[in-house]
Amino acid sequence: MGRNLQSGGRLRPVDLARGHGLSTQAVRNYEEAGILPAAGRTAHGYRTYTPLHAAALRAFLALVPGHGHRQATAIMQAVNRDALDEAFRLVDESHAQLLDDRRTLQAVERALRDLDHAPAPGAGAAPEAGRGAGRGAGRSADAPSGPGGTFIGPLAGGLGIRPATLRKWERAGLVRPHRDPLTGYRVYDEADVRDARLVHQLRRGGYLLEQIAPLIHQVRAAGGLEPLESTLSDWHGRLAARARAMLAGAAELEAYLRERD
């Protein structure tokens, strides 16, 4: 664009670094990565920066909290090579991801509300159809060997789905029953039943299995539904903080674009 990137006063690397608590090496690394425009050089080969570089550094550091380091880097690299459409697309991607995360949170909240009003699937009853004939002699074939578990038949029946659907969810990693050591039947403990009920509610809401997987991971990481419920407000807070950070980043990015123009 024929700009004189060195106009407007000279700044040393330490001048840029000092105001943001960075090392001068970090500033040089940002320049080498394309986050900052190329620096000028003195007659002795020392780097010199300008207020434009300072604006680029402010934009990058403001983008990182909302977009992440990698995405913020890609945005600044695109801007500095005048690929503005690419930069705006990257910004849009981050906003789309934030919207997806909001929808994920809403789906979890809806599923939790639905679970509160859903009857629990029955335990015991028939084991897996067509399997295990003659196994487990001397013990009941309609109850797991451990307490608190249920077989695939009663769980599927309680949810109003086919056993094959539960097996499909298992292959997708959404439910993780163990095997009864005496019969080889699948046994679903309380956590498995919880996961199956949550998957069922989300499937009824139109979510695909690959969309449900991260939700189930959130439940397992929280240690169950009750701990997860207590983290929902924190989840809301993190999303709000990202949204505010994106606004702040957008303001600094716009200021940098104006400087470039």
Side-chain angles (χ1 to χ4, degrees):
M1 289 189 179
R3 304 182 188 90
N4 179 6
L5 296 182
Q6 304 309 317
S7 63
R10 286 185 176 182
L11 297 171
R12 300 167 299 169
V14 67
D15 297 324
L16 266 66
R18 192 176 287 153
H20 299 285
L22 300 172
S23 68
T24 55
Q25 184 59 53
V27 172
R28 288 191 289 268
N29 290 345
Y30 290 156
E31 181 200 343
E32 291 170 1
I35 293 168
L36 306 182
R41 295 281 181 167
T42 67
H44 295 90
Y46 295 112
R47 286 178 171 87
T48 61
Y49 297 106
T50 70
L52 181 66
H53 294 88
L57 182 58
R58 288 193 300 271
F60 171 69
L61 295 177
L63 287 168
V64 169
H67 297 266
H69 192 280
R70 179 179 298 180
Q71 193 81 341
T73 296
I75 292 168
M76 294 301 297
Q77 289 170 337
V79 169
N80 289 329
R81 65 175 184 268
D82 293 326
L84 292 186
D85 283 347
E86 174 69 8
F88 296 150
R89 183 189 66 78
L90 292 167
V91 170
D92 290 344
E93 280 184 357
S94 292
H95 283 279
Q97 181 61 59
L98 179 61
L99 181 59
D100 283 344
D101 291 345
R102 287 192 183 281
R103 288 170 172 162
T104 293
L105 174 56
Q106 291 168 354
V108 170
E109 291 178 321
R110 284 196 300 269
L112 292 178
R113 288 194 298 269
D114 291 342
L115 287 179
D116 286 340
H117 301 96
E128 300 181 57
R131 295 199 52 196
R135 293 184 183 178
R139 62 179 293 275
S140 172
D142 62 1
S145 59
T150 185
F151 286 123
I152 193 170
L155 177 57
L159 294 173
I161 60 176
R162 297 178 301 162
T165 300
L166 278 172
R167 297 189 188 101
K168 181 179 180 180
W169 294 353
E170 180 182 348
R171 289 193 297 272
L174 303 179
V175 290
R176 301 184 297 190
H178 66 276
R179 294 281 182 164
D180 187 296
L182 297 179
T183 65
Y185 299 146
R186 291 172 173 82
V187 178
Y188 299 80
D189 62 19
E190 290 181 3
D192 299 321
V193 172
R194 173 205 69 204
D195 292 348
R197 293 174 66 195
L198 184 54
V199 172
H200 183 49
Q201 293 293 342
L202 292 169
R203 288 292 290 144
R204 290 177 62 187
Y207 285 83
L208 303 176
L209 296 186
E210 55 267 29
Q211 295 172 310
I212 295 172
L215 310 187
I216 298 299
H217 175 74
Q218 289 278 355
V219 173
R220 290 171 181 160
L225 293 175
E226 291 184 6
L228 180 64
E229 289 181 27
S230 68
T231 68
L232 292 180
S233 62
D234 292 338
W235 196 346
H236 276 287
R238 289 195 301 272
L239 293 180
R242 278 173 58 195
R244 289 287 297 271
M246 286 183 179
L247 289 176
E252 291 292 349
L253 181 60
E254 170 61 17
Y256 176 51
L257 292 175
R258 287 198 306 269
E259 289 263 354
R260 287 176 61 85
D261 290 338

